[in-house]
Amino acid sequence: MGRYSGRSFRLILMCIVSVLLFVMELVISHIGNSLSLASDAFAVLSHLVSMIIGLFGVRASSIKRHRKSTFGFLRADVVGAFGNSIFAVALMFSILVEAVKRYIDPQKTEAPLLVLSAGVIGLLFNVLNYVIFLDCCYCTAPGPQEDAETGDSLNTQNEPEETMKKEKKSEALNIRGVLLHVMGDALGSVVVVIAAIIFYVRPLRREDPCNWQCYIDPSLTVVMVIIILSSAFPLIRETAAILLQMVPKGVNMEELMSKLSAVPGISSVHEVHVWELVSGKIIATLHIKYQQDGGDRDASIKIREIFHNVGIHSVTIQFEKVDLKEPLEQKDLQLLCSSPCISKACTKLLCCPPGALPLAHVNGCAEHNGCPPLDLSQSDGLGRRQTTEVAIDLSLEGCLSDHGQALGKLQEDSRYVNSTHF
Amino acid sequence: MGRYSGKTCRLLFMLVLTVAFFVAELVSGYLGNSIALLSDSFNMLSDLISLCVGLSAGYIARRPRGSLGATYGYARAEVVGALSNAVFLTALCFTIFVEAVLRLARPERIDDPELVLIVGALGLAVNVVGLLIFQDCAAWLACCGRRRRRRQPQQLQQHQPPAAGGATGGAFGGPPGPEGRWHAATLPAPGRDSAVTLRVASVDRKDEKGATVFSNVAGDSLNTQNEPEETMKKEKKSEALNIRGVLLHVMGDALGSVVVVIAAIIFYVRPLRREDPCNWQCYIDPSLTVVMVIIILSSAFPLIRETAAILLQMVPKGVNMEELMSKLSAVPGISSVHEVHVWELVSGKIIATLHIKYQQDGGDRDASIKIREIFHNVGIHSVTIQFEKVDLKEPLEQKDLQLLCSSPCISKACTKLLCCPPGALPLAHVNGCAEHNGCPPLDLSQSDGLGRRQTTEVAIDLSLEGCLSDHGQALGKLQEDSRYVNSTHF
């Protein structure tokens, strides 16, 4: 790209120094037969990998659009973090195995002075690493951008301040996380230094059998492994939640579905999907059935407002017009998607085949014109993949039923809210 | 859950076998006070972990949809599991490589070649058995295969007579499991293969007849008969990623055992006394290990690349976005296409969302069918289309607004939070006048500097052509601009 920023240069320098340190620590650990130094070397390695991934990830994440990827490579950070965590866990696993072997067959640490110096160098390097890292990565954030004039919009004035507050909070969280990380790694080097000092102060001659000193090394190594794993597992869980296309934590699907069904003018909601592209960017798609011409325009604005208040800003809504002239027995058809793929044979290939029992959430008669008495429907056996008939008990209520009562019933059935059949 | 897949059957068997061997090695190593046995048993432990990851990923992926935590279900668990296995294996290979290099620098001899030989041979046998299991040996699968074959026709017959809506979906929703697994089982026997597909296809056709009544009522649909075989192949692919991850581990272990056996044989045949310095024999083990690591890594990286492509939400390989966009813009009745996203949930299930601007009332209904047909032919069956009606009365200067999304989020401040902010210059693909009524002279627009994030004005040169321009000529121009096809601003 031709852009040569100081930050990338420093990161690359750190990467090279990390490689050298890793090789040096590994060789010395082999010479000195010190397991804790070897585990420190692997910790350095996993940091190196995370730095490399960070370098590539930042560059990839700035690609918002690409021929091969309609979402750009925004997810590169997430996949990279996940891969790196698994890598670190695997390395720690092999270290753990070595430690267990050392418990069974204890070995002495030789050349303690060499090991000690290697430990001290590692400690200094860790501190230096994060000083540079902190310095270069927390520059001033850019100011709020200007927005173009497009489409339907409300002018909400208090948005920019909120977003800036959120940014500051996340920055603070980030810094805290990094500091914790630094302390964890420094602790690893401290462990190495302690073990080496013990052997230096009370040296064991070759002939002596192994006493309690030989068990210090594996024990401290186990402590170090636990420290590193305790920071790796939460990261794995976070990134896995994004990669599995799960509903992000801040979104309550039941609440969302009940709010959606309360929007006037729509008769049912189905195929609601909410997922997170990267932290902070949530995408939603849904299908809405409506009856009146022009009902979709108003409903669209209200629906987007509902999503906006939950923090979902990228919404794609598919409106399906329902024919009022359809006979009453086929009411259940109103719950199915009007526009699945063009052929029945595709049902297996749909992302979400119409297996799970659907649930229609219908507006409890906020409309007085021609609102058919289609209110709450219950379905049984939800949660089990029953691919047979749809058993729906239609409870027909009068058009002038109490809106509040309808809402109350909705909250009762809040467990069955997520209607996700195609 | 009660669903009993062939793959799970095999994975469980392997798990039991590996656990048994692991425990046996551990106990005998402890009793016999042999470090070699203990270290080899820990190699088995890594195998165990990969098997557990594979099994749990498969189990999670089969959980029924309908839980509120994940709107797409947990189908992605298999992909994530495969990636975990591949990365885990890479890390282990790396540590083995480091060990081997250190051994090359400081060679060691094998002290007890007979014991190592026996242990290595046993480990090799266990791994070979594991590999064979996954090679679809007919004898091993007969137990699982016959049970499934008996169940499947019953299941399909149950779904024959239904009148209600869910049943047709059910007939197809039920078998994906057994069909997919079954097909996997019969892969190496092409004769049986075609018999299976014929039988299933005929059953499907019967279901389709029952379904035609339904299809007319439940919306737009076409009857295409040759779908079932394709679908079964695709399901096999999605399970295959998970199995590949586990198989890589088993293969790696097998190769490791081979190396150990070879080195032990050499030391057994030409023993080295304690006093002798290490000769060429001591270098065999590490060098063979390096070769083995290279072999394993060369098979792990393609798996990592494939799973990463799915997880990065990239456009799957079989879909050509440029072609797709040009076909979409040729649909009559629509004036522009934007915010097209195509991504793969798991192998074989592709999802698309797009926004369409149209001008005439009722134009969306017809366009919807044609658009879905276009996607269907590419293999994308889950499509969500957002139609945006464009006001014809808007003055000409604001034509550029017609290219931007009519319905972004409700507030301007959200622009930063959109998944795909309106940064890149948009490109309108407009139908080259297939409509004769009131089609405004809005044809191809070019934009400059595409690819750079310009969040300022949209610079568009509107080339106004007459309404009766050549449709073919318009298409030609579209293909010229095919590089800029993907308009993904919100």
Side-chain angles (χ1 to χ4, degrees):
Chain A
M1 257 191 343
R3 283 177 44 190
Y4 191 63
S5 84
R7 192 205 305 194
S8 314
F9 178 66
R10 273 181 283 185
L11 274 177
I12 293 177
L13 185 66
M14 290 310 298
C15 286
I16 295 176
V17 176
S18 297
V19 170
L20 292 174
L21 183 71
F22 167 68
V23 169
M24 179 198 82
E25 280 196 339
L26 205 59
V27 167
I28 293 183
S29 80
H30 193 75
I31 294 174
N33 209 15
S34 159
L35 184 62
S36 45
L37 192 59
S39 66
D40 196 46
F42 280 130
V44 168
L45 176 70
S46 83
H47 284 136
L48 172 68
V49 171
S50 77
M51 267 197 286
I52 293 179
I53 288 177
L55 261 178
F56 281 122
V58 162
R59 207 175 279 191
S61 301
S62 63
I63 300 178
K64 290 278 169 32
R65 247 156 242 96
H66 190 265
R67 206 168 29 93
K68 292 205 191 120
S69 174
T70 51
F71 289 105
F73 287 106
L74 288 173
R75 274 252 176 117
D77 265 342
V78 179
V79 176
F82 180 75
N84 186 36
S85 311
I86 301 275
F87 194 76
V89 167
L91 288 179
M92 291 304 119
F93 164 74
S94 64
I95 296 275
L96 204 61
V97 164
E98 285 291 316
V100 169
K101 280 196 237 175
R102 289 257 175 136
Y103 271 121
I104 298 174
D105 185 28
Q107 295 177 17
K108 308 186 239 294
T109 300
E110 294 149 21
L113 200 57
L114 201 56
V115 173
L116 181 64
S117 48
V120 168
I121 292 179
L123 186 62
L124 285 176
F125 171 77
N126 269 326
V127 172
L128 182 71
N129 195 4
Y130 285 101
V131 161
I132 292 187
F133 184 66
L134 274 175
D135 176 45
C136 76
C137 288
Y138 288 99
C139 334
T140 54
Q145 295 166 347
E146 315 212 74
D147 306 306
E149 274 278 330
T150 59
D152 335 319
S153 74
L154 297 171
N155 249 343
T156 47
Q157 292 289 342
N158 51 354
E159 299 274 333
E161 296 133 28
E162 277 180 33
T163 53
M164 275 205 298
K165 263 186 246 159
K166 279 195 197 141
E167 273 167 24
K168 281 211 201 101
K169 232 178 68 176
S170 68
E171 251 187 56
L173 273 178
N174 250 340
I175 292 183
R176 223 178 57 192
V178 170
L179 275 178
L180 276 176
H181 209 66
V182 174
M183 275 175 9
D185 299 331
L187 209 59
S189 299
V190 166
V191 156
V192 171
V193 168
I194 291 176
I197 285 180
I198 289 181
F199 266 95
Y200 185 61
V201 165
R202 303 168 119 251
L204 275 179
R205 287 187 308 266
R206 228 163 242 281
E207 317 75 64
D208 291 344
C210 238
N211 57 355
W212 62 273
Q213 284 178 302
C214 296
Y215 292 97
I216 296 272
D217 202 13
S219 326
L220 289 178
T221 306
V222 169
V223 167
M224 215 173 99
V225 163
I226 290 177
I227 291 176
I228 294 182
L229 284 183
S230 67
S231 60
F233 279 139
L235 191 58
I236 290 182
R237 210 175 322 151
E238 234 184 86
T239 46
I242 295 181
L243 294 177
L244 286 172
Q245 308 284 97
M246 288 173 69
V247 173
K249 281 210 168 128
V251 175
N252 185 346
M253 282 303 288
E254 302 162 349
E255 224 183 280
L256 190 66
M257 290 297 283
S258 56
K259 281 190 192 158
L260 282 175
S261 35
V263 171
I266 63 175
S267 68
S268 81
V269 179
H270 59 278
E271 203 60 42
V272 182
H273 291 293
V274 176
W275 54 283
E276 203 167 6
L277 180 63
V278 287
S279 298
K281 298 200 180 191
I282 311 180
I283 300 179
T285 62
L286 65 158
H287 295 198
I288 304 264
K289 283 195 192 277
Y290 69 105
Q291 276 147 352
Q292 288 176 318
D293 280 320
D296 53 344
R297 257 287 163 90
D298 316 312
S300 167
I301 304 177
K302 292 206 171 60
I303 291 174
R304 281 173 203 284
E305 217 181 298
I306 292 175
F307 275 107
H308 171 89
N309 292 333
V310 194
I312 305 173
H313 307 280
S314 311
V315 185
T316 301
I317 310 178
Q318 174 168 293
F319 280 100
E320 302 163 3
K321 192 162 193 311
V322 170
D323 229 344
L324 280 174
K325 303 175 200 71
E326 272 171 29
L328 211 67
E329 307 89 46
Q330 286 178 357
K331 273 272 157 60
D332 48 349
L333 288 181
Q334 299 204 14
L335 303 169
L336 295 173
C337 191
S338 304
S339 340
C341 191
I342 57 174
S343 151
K344 286 298 150 224
C346 306
T347 323
K348 268 177 298 197
L349 296 167
L350 296 177
C351 85
C352 325
L357 299 165
L359 199 66
H361 290 273
V362 172
N363 177 30
C365 268
E367 296 269 13
H368 289 283
N369 330 344
C371 164
L374 238 202
D375 287 307
L376 297 167
S377 334
Q378 278 178 9
S379 46
D380 41 24
L382 194 75
R384 269 195 296 273
R385 262 189 98 195
Q386 305 258 352
T387 48
T388 48
E389 307 85 40
V390 166
I392 304 178
D393 303 341
L394 291 177
S395 52
L396 305 179
E397 294 179 10
C399 225
L400 297 166
S401 66
D402 185 15
H403 188 66
Q405 192 191 25
L407 269 181
K409 272 192 131 183
L410 271 172
Q411 267 144 22
E412 251 184 51
D413 296 345
S414 62
R415 273 186 303 132
Y416 301 133
V417 160
N418 194 16
S419 152
T420 52
H421 71 283
F422 227 110
Chain B
M1 241 182 4
R3 277 181 54 185
Y4 191 64
S5 121
K7 296 281 184 205
T8 318
C9 168
R10 283 179 278 185
L11 279 175
L12 277 174
F13 182 75
M14 269 223 70
L15 184 72
V16 167
L17 199 63
T18 314
V19 167
F21 195 63
F22 170 66
V23 168
E25 265 196 325
L26 204 61
V27 166
S28 55
Y30 188 64
L31 288 179
N33 206 17
S34 155
I35 297 298
L37 273 179
L38 284 175
S39 1
D40 200 56
S41 70
F42 285 120
N43 284 340
M44 280 286 154
L45 189 62
S46 77
D47 239 8
L48 265 183
I49 291 181
S50 81
L51 272 172
C52 288
V53 168
L55 269 172
S56 50
Y59 175 70
I60 291 177
R62 277 196 295 276
R63 268 191 5 202
R65 246 169 26 97
S67 77
L68 293 173
T71 51
Y72 285 108
Y74 290 99
R76 274 265 175 104
E78 287 194 351
V79 181
V80 173
L83 181 67
S84 313
N85 268 334
V87 173
F88 194 74
L89 183 67
T90 307
L92 287 182
C93 278
F94 181 77
T95 52
I96 294 176
F97 179 74
V98 161
E99 269 288 322
V101 166
L102 287 173
R103 281 256 178 125
L104 277 175
R106 255 221 245 166
E108 292 172 14
R109 70 194 68 220
I110 298 183
D111 279 328
D112 200 354
E114 293 115 3
L115 182 63
V116 174
L117 184 60
I118 293 173
V119 166
L122 278 177
L124 184 61
V126 166
N127 286 321
V128 164
V129 164
L131 282 175
L132 280 179
I133 287 179
F134 281 99
Q135 288 311 314
D136 299 320
C137 269
W140 290 107
L141 291 176
C143 69
C144 311
R146 243 180 269 129
R147 227 174 291 158
R148 270 178 280 115
R149 233 170 285 161
R150 254 184 275 123
R151 263 198 296 151
Q152 185 171 3
Q154 287 173 7
Q155 261 184 355
L156 289 176
Q157 271 156 25
Q158 269 174 20
H159 297 302
Q160 287 285 339
T168 333
F172 292 97
E179 273 170 18
R181 297 171 240 132
W182 194 6
H183 210 252
T186 55
L187 177 61
R192 268 201 293 165
D193 217 356
S194 45
V196 163
T197 49
L198 276 178
R199 197 184 327 171
V200 176
S202 64
V203 172
D204 284 347
R205 243 170 269 133
K206 268 188 270 171
D207 280 342
E208 292 235 37
K209 279 202 207 113
T212 35
V213 170
F214 215 72
S215 57
N216 290 335
V217 180
D220 334 322
S221 75
L222 296 172
N223 255 342
T224 48
Q225 297 287 342
N226 51 355
E227 302 282 332
E229 299 119 32
E230 284 177 33
T231 63
M232 284 195 290
K233 277 184 223 142
K234 291 217 182 107
E235 272 153 23
K236 221 174 354 106
K237 255 174 63 180
S238 80
E239 281 190 341
L241 272 180
N242 197 15
I243 300 295
R244 259 168 76 187
V246 174
L247 270 184
L248 270 180
H249 269 263
V250 175
M251 188 187 78
D253 222 24
L255 281 179
S257 304
V258 164
V259 169
V260 163
V261 163
I262 291 178
I265 285 179
I266 290 181
F267 270 94
Y268 187 63
V269 164
R270 301 168 117 253
L272 268 182
R273 287 187 309 263
R274 235 164 236 281
E275 316 75 63
D276 294 344
C278 237
N279 58 354
W280 60 274
Q281 285 175 303
C282 297
Y283 292 94
I284 294 275
D285 193 358
S287 25
L288 282 180
T289 308
V290 170
V291 169
M292 171 195 100
V293 161
I294 293 177
I295 293 177
I296 296 176
L297 283 182
S298 65
S299 5
F301 280 148
L303 182 61
I304 292 183
R305 207 176 324 149
E306 260 183 60
T307 48
I310 293 180
L311 294 176
L312 283 173
Q313 310 281 96
M314 289 174 68
V315 174
K317 277 206 169 129
V319 174
N320 184 346
M321 282 304 291
E322 302 158 350
E323 220 182 284
L324 190 67
M325 291 294 283
S326 56
K327 281 188 193 161
L328 282 175
S329 35
V331 171
I334 64 175
S335 67
S336 81
V337 179
H338 60 277
E339 200 61 42
V340 182
H341 290 292
V342 176
W343 54 283
E344 203 166 8
L345 181 64
V346 285
S347 304
K349 298 200 178 179
I350 311 179
I351 300 178
T353 61
L354 63 159
H355 295 198
I356 306 266
K357 281 192 193 277
Y358 68 106
Q359 277 147 352
Q360 288 175 319
D361 278 321
D364 54 342
R365 256 285 162 91
D366 314 315
S368 167
I369 304 176
K370 291 203 173 61
I371 292 174
R372 284 176 200 283
E373 215 179 302
I374 293 175
F375 276 108
H376 171 88
N377 292 334
V378 194
I380 304 174
H381 306 279
S382 310
V383 186
T384 302
I385 310 177
Q386 175 168 293
F387 281 101
E388 300 163 4
K389 193 161 190 313
V390 169
D391 228 344
L392 282 173
K393 303 179 200 71
E394 271 174 33
L396 214 66
E397 309 85 47
Q398 285 178 359
K399 275 274 158 58
D400 50 346
L401 287 180
Q402 299 203 16
L403 302 168
L404 296 171
C405 192
S406 304
S407 340
C409 192
I410 57 173
S411 152
K412 291 298 150 239
C414 306
T415 321
K416 269 177 297 194
L417 297 166
L418 296 177
C419 85
C420 324
L425 300 167
L427 199 65
H429 291 275
V430 173
N431 175 31
C433 265
E435 297 269 16
H436 290 283
N437 333 341
C439 163
L442 235 204
D443 287 304
L444 294 166
S445 335
Q446 278 177 8
S447 48
D448 42 25
L450 195 77
R452 268 197 295 273
R453 263 189 93 194
Q454 308 254 352
T455 47
T456 48
E457 308 87 43
V458 164
I460 303 177
D461 304 343
L462 291 178
S463 50
L464 305 178
E465 296 178 7
C467 226
L468 296 168
S469 65
D470 187 16
H471 187 66
Q473 189 189 30
L475 269 179
K477 271 189 131 184
L478 272 170
Q479 268 144 23
E480 252 183 53
D481 295 347
S482 62
R483 272 184 306 130
Y484 301 132
V485 158
N486 196 13
S487 153
T488 52
H489 72 281
F490 230 114

